[in-house]
Amino acid sequence: MKLTYSLVLFLLFSVLSSKSYAQHKLVGSVADIKDLAKLHQASIALLSPKDSILVKFGRTKENGTFQIANIDTGTYKMVVSYPQYADLVKDIHVAAEDLDIGIVKLSKAALLLEEVQVNGKIPVVIKGDTIEYDAGSFKVEKDAKVEDLLKVLPGITMDGSGKIIAQGKEVKKVLLDGEEFFGDDPTLITKNIRSDMVSKVQVYEKKSDLAVRTGVDDGERTQTIDIKLKEDKKKGMFGQAVAGAGTDKYYGGKVMLNKFKGSQKIAAYGILANDGMVGLGFEDSQKYGVGGSSNVQMMDGGGIMISGGGDGSDGGWDGKYYGGGVPKAINMGASYSDKSKDDKHKINANFKRNQINVNNTSTYNAQNNLPERAQVDNNVTSSETETQANIANLRYDLKLDSLSDLTVNMGYTKSNRDSKSDSKADQRKLDGTLITETNSNTDLNSDQDKFNVNAMLTRRFKKERRSVTFNVSANTDKNSSKTQYFSENYFESSGNKTVIDQFKNDKLTNNAYAASVTYSEPLSKRLTAAVGYSFNSNNSETLNQSFDKDPATGKYTVLDQNLLNDFDFSSLKNGINTSLNYKTSSLTVNLSNRVDFEDVKRTYNNLNTTLQRNQTSINPNVSVNYKLSKSKNIGFRYSGRTAQPSLTQIEPLKQNAQPLVEYLDNPNLKAGFNNSYSINYNSYKQLKDQGFYFYASADQGKKNINTNVRYNLDEGTQQISYVNIDKDNWRIYGSGSYSFVLQKKWGLKMNIGVNGQYNSQFSYLSSYNEEPKLNRNQTKSITPEIGFNRYKANKMDFYISLMPGVEQMSSFLQPELNRTTFKFRSYSQFTYYLPKDFKISLSTDQNYQAATKTLQSINIINMNGYVSKKLLKDKSLEVQVFVNDILNKNNGVYRYQNGTSFIQTSNDVLRRYGMLKVIYNFTTMKGDAK
């Protein structure tokens, strides 16, 4: 850490002490070479002749003149361009005075045909809403990957978590030649394709598939990067092989193969590791363990399923496992995509097999602020879990004719989980006095089969924006689990002890079918209306059986009728939706509303009774997007939603997996309503590589469905029922950031930002036989952020983010236990390139949270680093000495507030170890010489 922070101070000192350059201006005009007509909005770009990096940029006025001020003395490559005209590239020299280059005359490209050859490359071109980078104009390492190329492109940054920001917006999709590669996993492109295979990099906001098909702009946008390959690099094979062996029996191996042949792309990968590498992922996850979630799942129509949380087998953004425990993974996958020459047929298929074994010891400590006192809940659980999943997906696109498109998606998942766990839990008063003590163990085996198919047909008409879209889908889901469950509960106040020793058999079968039709009609040049109808049918069968041991045979054959859930669930929904879309070149407005009429029913087979509800829900939406300029945008969105109570909230299912908790019925439970508001502003100056964004959202829950909890303080038990509370729940969030180039010569960039959050939630709390007391939990936090980053190929690059913050947690019924704490989070990554192809890299993730009355302060520091050396003539072989958790300070602790509780969890994590890695990058597609 000292090295990283010293580097920041050194860079800042360099900025403050850098010498000043004499600055001048460049003036001139741009005209047609034939008739000298003035060209308005022609672009003039000044590039560094050494590396073609954009230095200054300007546009001509209505009279064709331009002026670019504050230019340092020196030599530049000037590029003048105008639509439908050939670009002019010229070297200029700015001396000790202003430079007037006179009239720049451009010729129409159509007239030049093949007679004119423009020398030189233009690194950045703006084509409407698309920014296009010429990959060859930016210098990276010889064997660099696409992610290394993205780091040097102006306007694109990659933060410490691996998140890509382009023009101030988070990139959600990375395409290869306009197509998804290996499903929705962008890292297969960014981490495995060599940068010297890339011709262009395009950045744009991708419209939704439906908007592209129908021509009706629904305002939905996805920030997208499209990697365009060179034509001669679309044939051949490339890949990577990694093998590592370390201390404490750690190992890691990965093989990645890619084969291209024109539009045909084939990929395969395999992973065998226990060093945390489990897959090829993208999105970030909690890096300090998971916590607090119950292993009892109750779903409407779904019965009770005892299971663990997510297994994390898909990995985080970097393919690492960020769940609780230490994993062993055997994962593999394959992908195939191709299309016909006329784009009439497109196919994309992929298959993954994930197997992950996780051993974990987790702790759970919660300070619960109850109506009359506070108590502490403690739990320590040791678990062993093995999860296997086979996942297959297929997408087929067919262009029936110039006006009709059909898309079919199919998916199948088959998974199995074996899990064993032993838990020791207790409840205590703040002075340490015992209330209850529980010992339990669970042995679970579960299977799941899921299948889904969806077909969407769009027929456009000759009249623009008139279209009809049909959509049909079917989903099946079969779950079964067998669980050996044992728990022993001791109550200190009475001295009583209860024992549960049962075998549980749970089954769930669910079938869902849906169909919809939507018709759109242009009402005017800018206004389009749409109306649609949808039908949904959902039917399921649930069986939850608990068997006691037969004293005579010692086998679990005695059915516990008090815990039997045997019912059929059905839901029949009809929906009507209408919308209006108003679209100009700068303004998009969407108004829509959906009304659903639903009949839900639960029929108990063992009781001959039925629970039924008829309910109506509405879902109004308003979105407004206004493009202030090509680089400035502001948007507003409102969404309302009826929050219907589930049948499980009205009439909870019978269970004893939580022996200290009893769920009560509430037949009078009614629907609530949720309002969501958001506003965002985004501004980016491409030429200055300067961006600003602001985002704020507010979620309001009216007549919310929340809990009424009655506590038996002596026995440590509780009764929970769901009730409507006539108080508004709020969640408000806001964030903003300003990023800019701090020192151009050094390539030093800086960003300043802030995040703020406010949560307010109501619930009822009381002791047994007392009137419920309304409680309000509030959380307020504010976190400023300051960051620095620099990337220079083959030299030195780093990323630093500092986030101090203050958080306040309060509970209305226990104000003496409210707390305000200081937090500090930081992330740093530093890479230095040494002579003779040596490289050193160091990354640190640090998180500090101050103490509460019952929880000590925590300061987690996870520092990883490596030293590497590249070998062979083409630098394709790399030997790396890697050390995980150098300081041995990563303890897997995580803290948060949930309702009236301040909670802290910990999980096993990968601690310090060393590993020798060998990385081989192979290809039959030779890159361009650097």
Side-chain angles (χ1 to χ4, degrees):
M1 289 293 287
K2 290 183 178 179
L3 176 61
T4 305
Y5 295 144
S6 298
L7 178 62
V8 177
L9 294 176
F10 171 73
L11 290 172
L12 291 176
F13 177 78
S14 300
V15 174
L16 295 175
S17 61
S18 62
K19 64 179 181 179
S20 299
Y21 292 88
Q23 293 187 330
H24 307 281
K25 63 183 178 181
L26 172 69
V27 297
S29 62
V30 181
D32 186 295
I33 193 172
K34 188 174 182 180
D35 57 10
L36 295 182
K38 306 301 182 183
L39 300 182
H40 178 218
Q41 289 292 315
S43 66
I44 299 90
L46 297 184
L47 315 178
S48 168
K50 181 180 179 180
D51 51 18
S52 293
I53 297 298
L54 185 65
V55 177
K56 288 287 184 179
F57 181 87
R59 289 190 182 274
T60 57
K61 301 177 182 178
E62 291 186 7
N63 61 1
T65 63
F66 67 87
Q67 177 177 299
I68 303 177
N70 300 323
I71 303 175
D72 295 333
T73 56
T75 301
Y76 299 91
K77 187 183 294 293
M78 182 181 72
V79 180
V80 183
S81 59
Y82 190 78
Q84 298 182 358
Y85 281 73
D87 297 333
L88 183 142
V89 182
K90 179 180 180 180
D91 291 331
I92 64 171
H93 181 75
V94 179
E97 56 186 17
D98 296 341
L99 177 61
D100 186 347
I101 63 171
I103 301 177
V104 178
K105 300 175 183 179
L106 300 183
S107 299
K108 285 194 174 181
L111 299 176
L112 296 176
L113 297 177
E114 296 179 355
E115 296 180 6
V116 176
Q117 182 177 5
V118 179
N119 296 318
K121 297 180 179 180
I122 304 176
V124 183
V125 178
I126 299 176
K127 300 179 178 180
D129 293 335
T130 300
I131 297 175
E132 184 176 272
Y133 301 88
D134 180 80
S137 298
F138 300 91
K139 186 179 179 181
V140 291
E141 288 187 88
K142 183 177 180 180
D143 59 345
K145 299 296 189 292
V146 166
E147 68 174 358
D148 301 307
L149 174 63
L150 295 180
K151 291 178 181 178
V152 302
L153 300 183
I156 299 179
T157 61
M158 187 178 297
D159 68 13
S161 67
K163 183 170 61 179
I164 303 173
I165 305 294
Q167 279 69 58
K169 299 178 182 179
E170 182 180 353
V171 174
K172 297 292 188 180
K173 190 179 289 290
V174 178
L175 304 178
L176 189 65
D177 286 332
E179 304 290 338
E180 290 188 354
F181 185 51
F182 216 108
D184 58 355
D185 191 349
T187 57
L188 285 173
I189 298 173
T190 61
K191 290 182 175 296
N192 293 283
I193 291 182
R194 293 168 62 109
S195 64
D196 55 21
M197 297 171 58
V198 179
S199 171
K200 306 288 184 183
V201 176
Q202 294 181 343
V203 178
Y204 57 90
E205 289 184 305
K206 188 178 185 297
K207 295 181 181 179
S208 68
D209 290 342
L210 190 60
V212 172
R213 283 187 169 195
T214 62
V216 180
D217 194 335
D218 55 10
E220 294 295 329
R221 295 288 189 276
T222 303
Q223 191 75 347
T224 300
I225 290 179
D226 192 355
I227 307 298
K228 301 291 186 180
L229 295 180
K230 299 173 182 176
E231 287 300 322
D232 61 341
K233 300 298 181 290
K234 294 182 179 180
K235 185 176 181 180
M237 181 180 292
F238 66 97
Q240 184 185 70
V242 180
T247 60
D248 300 323
K249 299 182 180 180
Y250 281 108
Y251 58 87
K254 179 178 74 170
V255 176
M256 181 75 202
L257 297 171
N258 302 274
K259 182 180 180 181
F260 289 175
K261 186 178 181 180
S263 61
Q264 184 186 88
K265 301 177 181 68
I266 302 173
Y269 75 92
I271 293 172
L272 176 65
N274 69 350
D275 64 346
M277 180 65 69
V278 296
L280 300 163
F282 183 56
E283 296 295 336
D284 199 3
S285 301
Q286 293 177 358
K287 295 187 178 181
Y288 296 109
V290 295
S293 61
S294 170
N295 66 341
V296 181
Q297 185 179 15
M298 297 185 179
M299 298 189 304
D300 214 26
I304 300 173
M305 302 296 293
I306 304 177
S307 62
D311 55 44
S313 61
D314 287 331
W317 65 269
D318 56 357
K320 288 282 189 176
Y321 178 78
Y322 292 127
V326 178
K328 296 180 181 178
I330 306 176
N331 292 341
M332 61 192 70
S335 174
Y336 173 85
S337 64
D338 200 358
K339 61 181 179 181
S340 59
K341 291 183 179 179
D342 56 1
D343 285 346
K344 183 176 181 179
H345 304 275
K346 294 181 182 180
I347 188 170
N348 190 310
N350 61 77
F351 171 79
K352 295 180 183 180
R353 185 187 187 280
N354 297 334
Q355 178 177 328
I356 182 170
N357 298 71
V358 180
N359 293 337
N360 188 30
T361 299
S362 63
T363 64
Y364 174 89
N365 307 104
Q367 174 188 307
N368 292 319
N369 303 325
L370 306 181
E372 297 180 7
R373 71 162 191 235
Q375 69 181 41
V376 177
D377 293 355
N378 304 296
N379 185 295
V380 178
T381 301
S382 298
S383 61
E384 298 178 10
T385 303
E386 178 182 277
T387 303
Q388 298 181 17
N390 295 281
I391 306 165
N393 292 286
L394 171 68
R395 172 170 174 155
Y396 174 65
D397 293 279
L398 173 63
K399 186 176 287 294
L400 298 170
D401 54 46
S402 61
L403 297 174
S404 303
D405 297 292
L406 173 67
T407 298
V408 179
N409 287 282
M410 300 176 65
Y412 177 71
T413 301
K414 183 176 181 62
S415 61
N416 171 266
R417 168 173 292 202
D418 286 317
S419 180
K420 295 181 180 180
S421 65
D422 292 285
S423 298
K424 297 184 182 299
D426 61 62
Q427 296 178 325
R428 296 179 181 273
K429 299 177 183 178
L430 290 185
D431 62 5
T433 304
L434 181 66
I435 304 172
T436 63
E437 192 172 53
T438 300
N439 295 319
S440 62
N441 59 72
T442 302
D443 189 346
L444 163 74
N445 178 271
S446 66
D447 293 283
Q448 182 180 44
D449 287 270
K450 297 174 64 177
F451 174 77
N452 66 82
V453 59
N454 174 267
M456 182 170 67
L457 172 65
T458 300
R459 169 68 181 180
R460 297 176 298 279
F461 297 90
K462 291 184 178 180
K463 186 173 183 179
E464 188 179 1
R465 290 178 285 129
R466 177 183 289 172
S467 66
V468 60
T469 299
F470 301 91
N471 205 323
V472 294
S473 64
N475 299 270
T476 65
D477 190 355
K478 294 182 179 180
N479 290 268
S480 64
S481 68
K482 300 182 183 299
T483 308
Q484 189 67 51
Y485 178 72
F486 175 88
S487 73
E488 183 180 73
N489 305 279
Y490 172 73
F491 302 91
E492 177 68 18
S493 62
S494 62
N496 294 332
K497 181 182 294 186
T498 61
V499 175
I500 301 173
D501 184 7
Q502 291 183 330
F503 174 79
K504 297 181 180 293
N505 180 45
D506 299 311
K507 295 181 180 180
L508 166 65
T509 301
N510 188 80
N511 297 291
Y513 306 94
S516 67
V517 58
T518 302
Y519 175 76
S520 63
E521 176 70 22
L523 302 180
S524 67
K525 182 179 180 180
R526 297 174 177 176
L527 188 64
T528 307
V531 61
Y533 166 77
S534 63
F535 170 80
N536 292 269
S537 175
N538 190 0
N539 295 277
S540 67
E541 300 174 359
T542 296
L543 178 64
N544 300 139
Q545 296 173 308
S546 298
F547 295 92
D548 292 318
K549 184 184 293 186
D550 187 335
T553 63
K555 297 182 178 181
Y556 295 89
T557 56
V558 181
L559 180 64
D560 187 342
Q561 294 288 345
N562 294 323
L563 295 175
L564 177 62
N565 297 296
D566 182 4
F567 62 86
D568 298 331
F569 172 83
S570 66
S571 168
L572 193 64
K573 182 189 297 185
N574 291 277
I576 299 174
N577 60 79
T578 57
S579 66
L580 284 174
N581 174 270
Y582 179 81
K583 178 76 169 73
T584 69
S585 59
S586 59
L587 177 66
T588 303
V589 180
N590 284 286
L591 306 175
S592 67
N593 187 35
R594 180 185 180 91
V595 182
D596 289 321
F597 306 93
E598 185 178 17
D599 176 37
V600 293
K601 182 168 61 175
R602 181 191 287 174
T603 302
Y604 296 93
N605 299 316
N606 57 319
L607 301 176
N608 294 321
T609 60
T610 299
L611 174 63
Q612 187 171 2
R613 297 261 300 206
N614 294 319
Q615 51 199 31
T616 302
S617 303
I618 62 173
N619 182 203
N621 290 274
V622 178
S623 67
V624 180
N625 286 281
Y626 183 63
K627 186 177 292 185
L628 300 168
S629 68
K630 285 187 176 181
S631 60
K632 294 181 182 179
N633 183 77
I634 188 169
F636 168 80
R637 182 179 294 271
Y638 163 78
S639 176
R641 181 178 61 86
T642 303
Q644 297 288 354
S646 68
L647 297 187
T648 299
Q649 291 174 323
I650 296 170
E651 196 170 281
L653 303 178
K654 303 168 184 177
Q655 64 89 28
N656 65 353
Q658 295 172 289
L660 302 182
V661 179
E662 179 185 5
Y663 291 91
L664 305 179
D665 297 349
N666 183 3
N668 298 317
L669 194 60
K670 304 184 185 308
F673 197 83
N674 294 330
N675 295 302
S676 297
Y677 313 85
S678 68
I679 185 170
N680 67 85
Y681 172 79
N682 192 285
S683 172
Y684 180 74
K685 297 180 179 179
Q686 174 75 28
L687 309 173
K688 295 183 178 180
D689 197 4
Q690 188 180 97
F692 172 77
Y693 88 88
F694 172 77
Y695 173 82
S697 66
D699 296 317
Q700 177 191 28
K702 301 186 71 66
K703 294 188 177 179
N704 261 77
I705 299 171
N706 218 317
T707 55
N708 179 8
V709 185
R710 293 177 177 270
Y711 292 91
N712 184 330
L713 298 178
D714 293 329
E715 294 291 322
T717 58
Q718 54 185 286
Q719 293 178 334
I720 300 177
S721 61
Y722 294 94
V723 296
N724 294 105
I725 299 179
D726 196 15
K727 294 284 187 179
D728 292 353
N729 289 343
W730 283 97
R731 180 187 180 276
I732 300 173
Y733 174 80
S735 68
S737 178
Y738 173 60
S739 59
F740 56 95
V741 176
L742 187 62
Q743 223 283 1
K744 183 180 295 185
K745 184 178 179 180
W746 276 83
L748 180 63
K749 299 179 183 179
M750 180 178 181
N751 69 280
I752 302 172
V754 65
N755 295 285
Q757 187 166 323
Y758 169 78
N759 291 314
S760 175
Q761 187 178 56
F762 289 89
S763 62
Y764 282 111
L765 300 175
S766 67
S767 300
Y768 278 11
N769 303 318
E770 288 188 359
E771 287 298 316
K773 299 177 182 178
L774 186 64
N775 185 48
R776 182 181 188 180
N777 302 307
Q778 286 184 317
T779 304
K780 305 173 186 176
S781 67
I782 185 167
T783 306
E785 179 179 2
I786 182 170
F788 303 89
N789 68 85
R790 176 187 189 266
Y791 185 87
K792 287 288 184 181
N794 302 310
K795 294 181 180 180
M796 176 182 65
D797 59 84
F798 66 86
Y799 177 92
I800 299 171
S801 179
L802 309 174
M803 293 166 284
V806 176
E807 183 176 51
Q808 183 184 74
M809 297 182 179
S810 62
S811 176
F812 177 75
L813 295 181
Q814 290 286 343
E816 67 276 8
L817 296 175
N818 297 345
R819 71 178 183 95
T820 300
T821 60
F822 173 74
K823 303 185 299 179
F824 185 81
R825 181 80 183 267
S826 67
Y827 181 88
S828 63
Q829 183 171 351
F830 168 78
T831 303
Y832 189 74
Y833 300 86
L834 299 165
K836 299 187 182 298
D837 296 312
F838 279 93
K839 181 171 68 173
I840 183 171
S841 181
L842 190 70
S843 65
T844 304
D845 201 344
Q846 174 269 335
N847 188 10
Y848 169 82
Q849 288 180 287
T852 70
K853 187 170 184 177
T854 57
L855 302 174
Q856 295 181 347
S857 63
I858 57 174
N859 188 28
I860 303 167
I861 302 176
N862 185 16
M863 179 182 290
N864 304 319
Y866 67 86
V867 177
S868 68
K869 161 72 174 174
K870 290 183 179 178
L871 304 170
L872 302 184
K873 185 178 181 180
D874 60 357
K875 314 300 181 186
S876 59
L877 184 65
E878 181 179 352
V879 178
Q880 187 181 105
V881 177
F882 171 82
V883 180
N884 184 76
D885 192 13
I886 296 173
L887 303 179
N888 207 30
K889 295 288 187 180
N890 186 18
N891 53 16
V893 175
Y894 179 64
R895 182 180 296 170
Y896 60 99
Q897 181 180 10
N898 183 19
T900 60
S901 302
F902 301 146
I903 300 168
Q904 181 169 301
T905 66
S906 70
N907 289 272
D908 286 344
V909 291
L910 293 165
R911 302 303 297 265
R912 182 166 57 194
Y913 68 87
M915 178 174 285
L916 177 65
K917 295 183 180 181
V918 179
I919 304 169
Y920 178 56
N921 293 285
F922 55 90
T923 180
T924 62
M925 297 183 282
K926 299 300 182 182
D928 296 337
K930 296 289 182 182

